[in-house]
Amino acid sequence: GGCISRIRSGRTATSAGPVRPTRRARRGVVPDSSSTWIPRASKTTTRRADIKRSSVRAAASSSAPALAADDPEATRETGYRFVVVALIALALLLCNADRVIMSVAGVPLAQAHGWGERAIGLVQSSFLWGYMLTPLLGGVLADRYGGKAVLGGGILVWSLATMATPFAAATSLPLLLLTRAVMGLGEGVALPCMNNLTARWVPKAERSRAVAACMGGFQSGSMVGL
């Protein structure tokens, strides 16, 4: 009798069909190998994680320069990079013109003030006293604060020194040497800022042409100044 009852109960259990999921299983809770219950990640949690990751990517992309990507398609939509390159070339033209113009003005200044060859040599080299100090510093500052701000500050410094040069020459030779050194300090940041700005605004496939255009403006300054 006991065997018959067990056989009947087994038939009843097997003929009952598939076991319906329990309430805990329907809620997304599944057991692991150690018989502990671990809740599955719900759709809401997954969606929130995706939104958080996308917001982090958007914040990272917004903090980067607008045209810093190497993909030409990312920079082909705007032609503002040509304006940037033209302005850099103009700034470098003025930079080199202010540098070499003393080669022309030094002769009449020496005649007017009775300066000898030694004094003329000091006037010509005093520009490099300041110029040799700021290229490395200008590159560091351009990477940290942006080439636009650093180049603007350099243009302001060397423009003020250029305007002060005639007054300094009329006052004394040491003051003229100091003015020329300050001009060199301002112009020393020009080339590092050029590289920084072209890397930010010009796509990789066009950077050689952009640098060539900027250096063309730089070399044209010698022609304009002389």
Side-chain angles (χ1 to χ4, degrees), residues 88 138-139 142 146-152 188-198:
I88 296 172
K148 180 176 68 173
V150 178
L151 181 60
V189 303
L191 294 181
C193 291
M194 174 200 71
N195 294 324
N196 180 271
L197 288 171
T198 53

Side-chain angles (χ1 to χ4, degrees), residues 15 191 218:
S15 62
L191 294 181
F218 182 75

Side-chain angles (χ1 to χ4, degrees), residues 93-105 217-226:
L93 185 149
L94 297 176
C95 171
N96 211 23
D98 289 342
R99 175 192 304 185
V100 303
I101 200 169
M102 187 54 68
S103 302
V104 178
F218 182 75
Q219 301 300 334
S220 299
S222 300
M223 177 184 64
V224 173
L226 295 176

